[in-house]
Amino acid sequence: MKGTSGRRHICKIKCRTNCTKYEGKCPSFCASDCAKHAPSCPQRQGGWTFAKPKGKGKRTISLPLPLTVVLKAQHAAQLSERAAAGEKLQDWDLFWCRPNGSPIDAGDDWKSILRLAEVDKDARVHDARHTAATLLLEQGTDIRVVQAVLGHSQLTTTKRYTHITETFATDAAARMGRALWDE
């Protein structure tokens, strides 16, 4: 399974010298306000590139059994989509992709996925990592295990991914009550 970690909109040709947007010194990757191939700089060409994820080695992850069932169903559906795409197939070797094999757009497609899942919060794809870290901690998973799942080399990075929720606060209050008033 290949992920989309490290995917960025890359500017392959620098802006023309008389570009007024960046004074002829365009960044090596498109700025956050770039809307599909930097329309303000017509000489610049863009596209998707995939970089190796951060970290030194491969990572094995454990999956909950119900998720493996969903992933197998996704794989079967993807094989049907690939066959239906025929000559229009773009084989990027991605597990999650559009029906023609091209990458999912982190903006448009992700927003559609959130709507289908009836999530009313505007969230980035990366926010799912924060949610996963927090949910794992809420279930009592040791933070070092969360660190391994997220692939962080530093525990301080993992701590930035976790958030204090009402569940944590309520549990802390209950523990304090038991420590002070229960025997």
Side-chain angles (χ1 to χ4, degrees):
M1 235 187 289
K2 285 190 180 178
T4 58
S5 181
R7 185 174 78 171
R8 303 186 282 186
H9 184 158
I10 300 291
C11 297
K12 296 185 178 180
I13 298 175
K14 292 204 180 252
C15 291
R16 51 186 155 58
T17 51
N18 61 348
C19 171
T20 57
K21 187 166 184 179
Y22 296 105
E23 299 170 0
K25 297 177 183 164
C26 291
S28 61
F29 61 92
C30 292
S32 59
D33 62 342
C34 174
K36 310 276 186 200
H37 307 295
S40 62
C41 298
Q43 292 182 1
R44 188 161 67 171
Q45 297 176 357
W48 291 111
T49 185
F50 290 88
K52 283 189 171 195
K54 292 186 248 176
K56 293 188 170 55
K58 290 185 177 182
R59 193 168 30 150
T60 302
I61 58 169
S62 298
L63 299 174
L65 189 57
L67 180 57
T68 60
V69 173
V70 173
L71 292 175
K72 287 178 181 180
Q74 162 63 18
H75 183 63
Q78 184 182 37
L79 291 176
S80 296
E81 289 174 346
R82 292 173 69 89
E87 290 182 15
K88 294 181 180 178
L89 177 68
Q90 297 179 26
D91 193 0
W92 288 65
D93 194 24
L94 301 172
F95 190 80
W96 297 103
C97 57
R98 290 182 172 176
N100 71 350
S102 65
I104 293 174
D105 184 274
D108 301 335
D109 292 331
W110 177 250
K111 303 296 181 194
S112 298
I113 291 168
L114 289 176
R115 279 192 300 280
L116 285 171
E118 298 178 1
V119 173
D120 2 340
K121 185 177 180 185
D122 185 27
R124 303 166 301 151
V125 174
H126 190 75
D127 293 333
R129 289 175 57 81
H130 290 260
T131 301
T134 301
L135 289 173
L136 284 168
L137 285 179
E138 282 184 347
Q139 300 302 311
T141 306
D142 184 85
I143 193 159
R144 295 227 178 245
V145 175
V146 177
Q147 175 186 3
V149 168
L150 295 178
H152 294 153
S153 58
Q154 300 293 320
L155 191 58
T156 54
T157 304
T158 306
K159 287 180 179 179
R160 287 194 307 255
Y161 272 71
T162 60
H163 306 282
I164 303 303
T165 64
E166 190 175 326
T167 303
F168 283 134
T170 303
D171 184 52
R175 288 176 190 237
M176 184 62 75
R178 285 191 301 274
L180 293 174
W181 289 284
D182 292 347
E183 293 187 30

